[in-house]
Amino acid sequence: MKQNILKLLIISLLFPFSSCHDFEELNTDPNNPPYTPGEPSNVDGSGIDIDYELSEDEIRELTDAVNSVGSIFKNFTYEGLYNDYQITTNLTHDIYASYFANNSSGFHEDSPTYGYKDDWSKRRWEHFYDDRTASEYSHLIKTFHFVDKEKYKNVFYLTRIYYAFLMSMQTDTYGDIPTDFYVKGLLPTDLNVKYTAQKEVYKIMFTLLDQALKNIDPQDSKQFVFDPSDDRAFEGDIYKWLRFANTLRLRLALRISNVDPAWAREEGKAALKNPYGLMQGNADNMRTVPKHAPTAEGGDDDGGSENLYALMSFDWKGIVMSKDMELAYYNQSSILDPRCEILWWRPSPINDLQNGIESGKAFAGLRIGDPDILGDQAVEYYSVVRTLKTINSKNTKVF
């Protein structure tokens, strides 16, 4: 079902101008990088290293489009998690895991009540393989490797760190997934794509992270550095990327600790002993600043994918706390789990919540599949996501 996940890349015509924020980059569609790859023949799709060559014409195309890497990386690190999040994750996986319950009558007969929705499921595969992998990731690593391998060494490995992060979500959701060719920046030569066993996928992710941690040199002043506005994750802070890589490595080690304790111990020790250390606090968090946020706050002062949980829950009232979460918050300990008051509003009138005022009611969740669809009135009976800021009166958007 998920074998037909390939599509051709589209050539974008670029203008050869430059400025302090390159004109070419500003006029590049990040969803369609300005390069159409010719796939090398007789290449072994296994492994992760770039062990193939490109033609002079292909390298020239990459060189001519090198100023677009910032905008492509920006989209890569932004849409990696956001793309169609409502239908690819929230109305499916989030509800299956009982994090939320559906409060939208339009979705009641679909995935929120365990009805299979093929279009929603395949969209996640399309975004990971067609958009993130074949389009953005492939363009970035080929540019960095073939245009100037030494100058772009750090950002080559930053791209691989983020790809390992996206791959971890894909395999932890679906198990075995295709990796041959893709991780090397190529498209498979056969539409009957081979699926890689999850154990091997984990080996690939650990290797990607290990290579990055060993090769990135944050003190090399000759390295290309992304403009802070193009690095949606850490604003170009290499040390934060390295701490993230170590933390991701430790997280993945914990994931395999029950099935292969010795392997998990080996990877965990490597993460803990690495001199760059682990993420230390909120300042090290990978950011998800919405595009509509002001530029001073890391956004684009433009429309786009917003703070999705805030929109889906607080603004649209489409999802509310699940009954399972309510019971977990109240019954796992003799006291209310303190995370509950940070993440959720108590049931209250919407006008009060918009002004940061909540009732003294107990937090309440809706049973998954319950037909008690209340629309806007749901916030008076069930808990919705607590937002960092209330609705902006000018733009009626949620931060």
Side-chain angles (χ1 to χ4, degrees), residues 40 43 49-54 141-142 145-146 184-186:
V43 175
D49 296 326
I50 297 182
D51 52 3
Y52 55 88
E53 298 295 330
L54 296 182
I141 64 169
K142 284 178 177 177
H145 181 85
F146 289 105
K184 302 170 86 164
L186 299 173

Side-chain angles (χ1 to χ4, degrees), residues 133-186:
T133 303
S135 183
E136 295 162 352
Y137 169 75
S138 173
H139 179 89
L140 290 169
I141 64 169
K142 284 178 177 177
T143 299
F144 300 147
H145 181 85
F146 289 105
V147 173
D148 193 331
K149 187 176 180 180
E150 288 305 311
K151 176 182 177 180
Y152 294 105
K153 182 179 69 172
N154 281 359
V155 289
F156 172 88
Y157 287 107
L158 292 189
T159 304
R160 303 267 263 192
I161 290 171
Y162 192 77
Y163 190 65
F165 174 53
L166 296 183
M167 186 183 290
S168 71
M169 291 184 287
Q170 192 74 4
T171 188
D172 285 345
T173 302
Y174 296 108
D176 299 353
I177 59 172
T179 61
D180 281 4
F181 293 97
Y182 290 114
V183 73
K184 302 170 86 164
L186 299 173

Side-chain angles (χ1 to χ4, degrees), residues 20-286:
C20 59
H21 199 297
D22 196 86
F23 183 78
E24 177 180 359
E25 179 178 346
L26 293 174
N27 286 276
T28 299
D29 180 358
N31 296 310
N32 297 301
Y35 163 64
T36 304
E39 298 304 329
S41 58
N42 301 319
V43 175
D44 182 3
S46 63
I48 70 170
D49 296 326
I50 297 182
D51 52 3
Y52 55 88
E53 298 295 330
L54 296 182
S55 70
E56 291 184 3
D57 288 341
E58 291 168 326
I59 294 175
R60 189 179 302 111
E61 286 186 57
L62 290 171
T63 303
D64 291 343
V66 73
N67 288 326
S68 68
V69 295
S71 61
I72 296 172
F73 187 78
K74 180 177 183 177
N75 202 69
F76 178 59
T77 52
Y78 185 80
E79 295 293 355
L81 291 176
Y82 269 129
N83 225 167
D84 282 332
Y85 191 89
Q86 183 184 23
I87 61 174
T88 64
T89 303
N90 182 250
L91 292 174
T92 50
H93 309 90
D94 283 351
I95 289 180
Y96 296 164
S98 299
Y99 297 148
F100 298 95
N102 173 57
N103 183 55
S104 172
S105 58
F107 299 133
H108 187 64
E109 303 301 323
D110 292 319
S111 288
T113 49
Y114 307 107
Y116 179 66
K117 192 81 171 178
D118 185 68
D119 182 60
W120 292 4
S121 181
K122 75 173 184 177
R123 201 82 63 86
R124 185 166 179 147
W125 287 75
E126 288 173 346
H127 289 320
F128 178 71
Y129 285 103
D130 294 352
D131 302 327
R132 305 290 83 76
T133 303
S135 183
E136 295 162 352
Y137 169 75
S138 173
H139 179 89
L140 290 169
I141 64 169
K142 284 178 177 177
T143 299
F144 300 147
H145 181 85
F146 289 105
V147 173
D148 193 331
K149 187 176 180 180
E150 288 305 311
K151 176 182 177 180
Y152 294 105
K153 182 179 69 172
N154 281 359
V155 289
F156 172 88
Y157 287 107
L158 292 189
T159 304
R160 303 267 263 192
I161 290 171
Y162 192 77
Y163 190 65
F165 174 53
L166 296 183
M167 186 183 290
S168 71
M169 291 184 287
Q170 192 74 4
T171 188
D172 285 345
T173 302
Y174 296 108
D176 299 353
I177 59 172
T179 61
D180 281 4
F181 293 97
Y182 290 114
V183 73
K184 302 170 86 164
L186 299 173
L187 295 179
T189 55
D190 190 339
L191 288 179
N192 293 314
V193 178
K194 169 191 171 184
Y195 278 63
T196 303
Q198 189 174 42
K199 182 176 181 179
E200 297 304 312
V201 178
Y202 263 73
K203 288 181 180 179
I204 290 171
M205 294 187 296
F206 282 129
T207 303
L208 288 171
L209 295 173
D210 185 66
Q211 284 189 356
L213 288 160
K214 288 178 177 177
N215 285 281
I216 291 175
D217 184 355
Q219 296 183 327
D220 185 353
S221 60
K222 297 180 180 179
Q223 288 293 310
F224 171 84
V225 179
F226 286 120
D227 185 279
S229 66
D230 290 332
D231 180 355
R232 283 287 186 182
F234 296 117
E235 295 183 309
D237 189 324
I238 301 297
Y239 288 100
K240 286 186 177 182
W241 272 105
L242 292 166
R243 291 195 290 272
F244 172 76
N246 273 321
T247 305
L248 178 59
R249 188 175 194 173
L250 181 60
R251 175 183 177 180
L252 296 177
L254 292 172
R255 294 275 173 87
I256 64 171
S257 59
N258 288 332
V259 294
D260 197 327
W263 184 19
R265 190 176 302 111
E266 176 186 348
E267 297 293 344
K269 284 183 177 179
L272 293 169
K273 290 183 178 181
N274 188 278
Y276 296 117
L278 303 173
M279 298 170 73
Q280 298 298 308
N282 286 335
D284 283 341
N285 281 344
M286 180 177 284

